[in-house]
Amino acid sequence: MALTAGLGLLAVLVASAALTWGARHYALRRNLMDQPGERRSHVVATPRGGGIAIVLTLLLAAAVAALLWPDAWVTLAVFGLGLALVAGIGWWDDHRPLPAVRRLLVHVIAAALIAGLVWQATHNPVQALLALLFTTSLINIWNFMDGINGIATTQAVLAGVAFACVLPGPLALAGAVLAAACLGFLPFNFPRGRIFMGDVGSGALGYAIAALVCLGSVATDISWLLLLVPLTAFLVDAGFTLLSRMLSGQRWMEPHTQHVYQRAVKSSKSHTFVTGTYFVFGLFSITVFNACTNLQPRWEAAVAVAWLTLATGLWLLLRKGMCH
């Protein structure tokens, strides 16, 4: 069984890498390029849309899983449909920019599919509503945070590994598949960005990770707050940057370079250094997560709040330091 799973994950990695290679050549032929600019963190025109490789790999893996485990086909089909919706609107936006409201509407529809799975399992309207809001938010958070080489992909790898280590059977395998699909894409994007993920990939990663969190909250007794811990770096940087923009009256939906990771790059830190720093912090986050999943729920929640508070304090210190 272990050998079969290992070979399957290797196949996922190879498929993702091959599809990324194809996506790069497609982007070059179609002149699908991200141009440098004041609100960008790169300095040379770079192909975009490479995240379609991760999406196609995940959809293929879901189809294979539905054949191997027929009892799970409804859940897999609902997830696959939502993933296709998020990726599809992102793919469209990568080719021809769309109004933010139109993208958001599709994101909400896709998130409602995950919320429906949560409702079916729990019959708890509050939990289903939280799943809807969280999934919609994480789709956009991953998009906001996909601004330098490797950062969105490596954080997704960490999340996939974290959930693979603690979630039950099928969900653990889903986390491992997500990590393997991202690893297939990573060499094309880090340390040198030969292709960017694009909206097609960043939104889809946020959706896939949100699905793991939401379904994990249903399938286990782990506190939903603790399930957020592997995502701490992105939740804190995106969440508080967004809040600060809203409080200052800025148009928060517009592209910008005010996240801490973007400020670090603007202050002459390399993409490799910043992505590596976030990765190291992510390793601490998933270690805390893994070490605390067998505590009583109230202690899991207490640890999660303490860790998120610590990360918020660190964010405030870094942001203040970069303002001077």
Side-chain angles (χ1 to χ4, degrees):
M1 183 64 180
L3 178 60
T4 302
L7 291 174
L9 292 175
L10 178 61
V12 167
L13 189 151
V14 171
S16 178
L19 288 167
T20 304
W21 180 87
R24 183 173 186 274
H25 284 267
Y26 168 84
L28 291 171
R29 286 198 309 271
R30 292 291 301 271
N31 196 32
L32 194 63
M33 309 289 283
D34 259 353
Q35 301 295 334
E38 182 182 345
R39 294 177 177 177
R40 305 280 185 173
S41 297
H42 61 286
V43 295
V44 296
T46 306
R48 68 172 179 265
I52 188 65
I54 299 173
V55 173
L56 292 175
T57 302
L58 292 179
L59 290 174
L60 180 60
V64 172
L67 293 174
L68 294 176
W69 296 286
D71 291 345
W73 79 268
V74 172
T75 299
L76 290 165
V78 170
F79 166 76
L81 176 59
L83 186 69
L85 284 171
V86 174
I89 199 67
W91 181 251
W92 190 347
D93 192 54
D94 284 334
H95 286 74
R96 185 181 304 169
L98 295 169
V101 173
R102 192 176 303 175
R103 298 197 308 271
L104 183 60
L105 177 61
V106 174
H107 295 165
V108 171
I109 293 171
L113 294 173
I114 296 299
L117 292 175
V118 172
W119 165 259
Q120 182 186 42
T122 65
H123 298 291
N124 184 331
V126 174
Q127 194 167 349
L129 179 60
L130 286 174
L132 174 69
L133 296 174
F134 175 70
T135 302
T136 303
S137 299
L138 204 64
I139 291 168
N140 288 280
I141 285 172
W142 233 263
N143 182 265
F144 295 154
M145 296 297 291
D146 180 31
I148 62 173
N149 298 343
I151 192 167
T153 315
T154 53
Q155 290 297 310
V157 169
L158 287 171
V161 170
F163 296 131
C165 290
V166 303
L167 295 183
L171 289 175
L173 183 58
V177 167
L178 175 63
C182 290
L183 286 173
F185 170 82
L186 187 60
F188 295 86
N189 184 244
F190 183 83
R192 185 168 68 89
R194 290 187 286 161
I195 188 169
F196 292 156
M197 190 180 297
D199 288 349
V200 62
S202 58
L205 280 186
Y207 184 81
I209 294 167
L212 282 173
V213 172
C214 293
L215 297 178
S217 72
V218 170
T220 70
D221 294 327
I222 299 173
S223 166
W224 66 270
L225 280 170
L226 190 64
L227 287 167
L228 300 182
V229 166
L231 318 179
T232 298
F234 274 19
L235 292 179
V236 168
D237 197 359
F240 284 102
T241 299
L242 176 62
L243 180 61
S244 68
R245 285 175 60 81
M246 294 173 71
L247 291 176
S248 62
Q250 300 178 62
R251 295 183 177 180
W252 57 272
M253 288 294 288
E254 287 186 349
H256 61 87
T257 55
Q258 295 181 18
H259 293 292
V260 163
Y261 81 90
Q262 292 169 318
R263 289 172 181 257
V265 170
K266 291 291 185 181
S267 67
S268 301
K269 299 292 191 297
S270 70
H271 287 216
T272 302
F273 175 83
V274 177
T275 294
T277 300
Y278 271 68
F279 184 81
V280 170
F281 180 83
L283 285 176
F284 280 105
S285 295
I286 67 172
T287 300
V288 169
F289 171 70
N290 188 268
C292 296
T293 52
N294 291 320
L295 298 176
Q296 293 182 0
R298 66 175 181 273
W299 291 113
E300 291 177 351
V303 168
V305 169
W307 183 251
L308 290 165
T309 301
L310 176 66
T312 301
L314 180 60
W315 180 87
L316 288 169
L317 287 174
L318 290 172
R319 185 178 173 88
K320 183 177 180 181
M322 291 174 188
C323 287
H324 296 295

